[in-house]
Amino acid sequence: MQEDLHITSLAAFYRRINAWIAGQLEGENWIWKLAVACSLISWFMAVPPLTVIADADAWVYIMLQADQPFEAHDLDHYIRRENMVYRLFLPFLAYITGKSVFVILALQYILAVVFLYLFAREVFRQTGDKVLTAYFAVAVSNMFFVSWFFVDVQGYGDGFAYFFLLLALLYRHPAVIFVSLMCVFFTDERGVAAGGYLLLGWLFYTVLDKHPERNSFSGLVKTTCSLPETWTLVVAWIVYFSVRIYMSLTFFPGHHYSTLGAPVLFGDMHRGGLGSSIWTAFEGSWLLLGAAAYVLLRSRRYWLLSGMAAGFAVLLLTGLFVHDIDRALGYGFLFVLMAGLVLSKSIPLKEYRLLMFVV
């Protein structure tokens, strides 16, 4: 009897929460209000250490690159400098903003709100449910790939890359995709691998939204090859590597990364943080990813499941072989949207909403 009372009270609490959230999301601009509210929650839950800006050598090097992007400035001074040689997006941003760190960080914060808006709008497009969208937005606003927009004040710039990846996923015009990918690739090398996750996302959206009958390997390959987005990505990869090789041969001969590969993977501190870094990259959305994989398995969409698993394996492997595993895995936020799309097409809305409440 006591257990029944607990279940009843919890169910009543869940209904009241849903009703309250629905009441808060009235009005024409409710997604913007949700995005701003979630941004504030994210900021207050992880207040950025603004005092470290003055000691961040990365900003010093970014400002040097803004003036002389093809000069190697004291690479031995700090280990991040050798990793930043080909990362020209932030130096370009510094150049056009008058070398103002404040302006760059303000823009990063603004893009965080827009990122959450686009993310929430896409979830609502998939589900048509405001309450579920709110649960989704609150959840992701406290995951690494959103909170990093606010925490990163040391000049890593991944927030810009995350934003442009989302833009390329949702706005599938070739010009938007190409410019977005150039921004991503020249922000961090992790973004180059993320182009593959983007390709997988376009495939999921095309098949599940428009052509659910295409479930064979040959059908998925033909679909991928027929997408203009695929060839835009290929061109972007070619352009990026061409520029990078030219820069390497002309300006930075003999350049290498001392922090890449086996020395990092087998370092004691690196191994000690693997578990927490892998978990915190996705936190509660591991439930979402697991549920989507289960649904794909039970619905016999084996090739989509294999593609998702292969892409996630690449994400994990690229994270293991570099420092800052959570930053690397943050580029896999596209898998969260893919998982959401799978569930929106496959399970009752009531079950999906309850799952997101738990997440």
Side-chain angles (χ1 to χ4, degrees):
M1 182 64 178
Q2 189 70 23
E3 183 179 352
D4 291 340
L5 286 174
H6 288 162
I7 293 173
T8 301
S9 62
L10 285 173
F13 171 75
Y14 176 64
R15 287 194 297 269
R16 287 197 298 271
I17 287 289
N18 288 343
W20 181 84
I21 291 174
Q24 302 304 309
L25 299 179
E26 298 293 339
E28 186 176 346
N29 297 314
W30 67 273
I31 300 182
W32 278 114
K33 295 175 185 177
L34 178 63
V36 171
C38 289
S39 298
L40 291 174
I41 292 172
S42 183
W43 192 89
F44 281 115
M45 291 295 286
V47 178
L50 297 175
T51 54
V52 305
I53 295 177
D55 300 322
D57 179 70
W59 287 119
V60 175
Y61 188 62
I62 287 168
M63 299 311 164
L64 291 171
Q65 284 180 298
D67 288 329
Q68 298 174 309
F70 306 119
E71 294 287 336
H73 303 278
D74 299 321
L75 297 186
D76 294 334
H77 177 71
Y78 186 58
I79 197 167
R80 277 197 62 201
R81 288 192 174 191
E82 71 172 55
N83 295 334
M84 296 168 64
V85 166
Y86 299 106
R87 300 173 186 175
L88 299 179
F89 176 75
L90 281 182
F92 171 75
L93 207 56
Y95 179 79
I96 64 176
T97 57
K99 299 184 182 179
S100 172
V101 175
F102 173 80
V103 173
I104 294 173
L105 291 179
L107 180 59
Q108 186 172 290
Y109 291 167
I110 291 170
L111 290 186
V113 179
V114 180
F115 181 95
L116 277 167
Y117 168 81
L118 294 175
F119 206 104
R121 191 184 68 176
E122 174 56 24
V123 172
F124 184 69
R125 183 198 70 82
Q126 294 175 7
T127 64
D129 187 270
K130 290 185 177 182
V131 174
L132 190 153
T133 300
Y135 286 144
F136 219 124
V138 172
V140 300
S141 68
N142 288 284
M143 293 175 193
F144 178 85
F145 60 86
V146 172
S147 64
W148 189 236
F149 277 88
F150 301 101
V151 176
D152 174 24
V153 295
Q154 294 181 274
Y156 287 93
D158 297 297
F160 292 99
Y162 298 162
F163 172 80
F164 284 111
L165 273 176
L166 182 62
L167 202 66
L169 177 72
L170 301 182
Y171 292 92
R172 296 166 65 169
H173 188 281
V176 174
I177 292 172
F178 181 81
V179 173
S180 296
L181 288 175
M182 289 296 99
C183 294
V184 173
F185 294 169
F186 284 104
T187 296
D188 195 284
E189 290 80 0
R190 296 167 178 85
V192 181
Y197 320 145
L198 189 59
L199 180 60
L200 193 61
W202 289 326
L203 176 63
F204 266 68
Y205 272 66
T206 301
V207 171
L208 296 179
D209 267 345
K210 300 177 181 178
H211 303 288
E213 75 284 354
R214 298 182 183 177
N215 197 31
S216 66
F217 176 75
S218 60
L220 295 179
V221 170
K222 289 178 181 178
T223 299
T224 303
C225 293
S226 66
L227 292 175
E229 296 90 332
T230 300
W231 301 107
T232 306
L233 172 62
V234 170
V235 170
W237 269 333
I238 291 173
V239 170
Y240 170 76
F241 282 111
S242 298
V243 172
R244 187 182 172 103
I245 291 171
Y246 174 78
M247 288 176 61
S248 176
L249 295 176
T250 307
F251 304 109
F252 308 114
H255 177 270
H256 69 284
Y257 296 101
S258 64
T259 58
L260 180 66
V264 173
L265 177 62
F266 296 111
D268 289 337
M269 291 182 65
H270 190 75
R271 286 186 289 106
L274 285 181
S276 62
S277 292
I278 291 174
W279 164 255
T280 54
F282 294 100
E283 298 187 4
S285 65
W286 281 109
L287 292 173
L288 197 69
L289 295 167
Y294 178 74
V295 166
L296 288 174
L297 180 65
R298 291 302 301 269
S299 60
R300 298 184 178 181
R301 290 189 171 274
Y302 301 127
W303 289 112
L304 278 180
L305 176 59
S306 298
M308 193 172 187
F312 211 83
V314 171
L315 175 68
L316 290 175
L317 286 174
T318 54
L320 293 177
F321 279 87
V322 296
H323 281 300
D324 303 329
I325 304 169
D326 41 11
R327 287 178 55 218
L329 298 188
Y331 283 84
F333 75 87
L334 296 172
F335 288 99
V336 177
L337 271 178
M338 281 185 258
L341 181 65
V342 170
L343 296 178
S344 70
K345 300 291 183 182
S346 308
I347 67 174
L349 186 62
K350 183 178 180 181
E351 293 183 13
Y352 189 8
R353 182 192 281 187
L354 184 58
L355 176 64
M356 285 311 305
F357 173 76
V358 176
V359 171

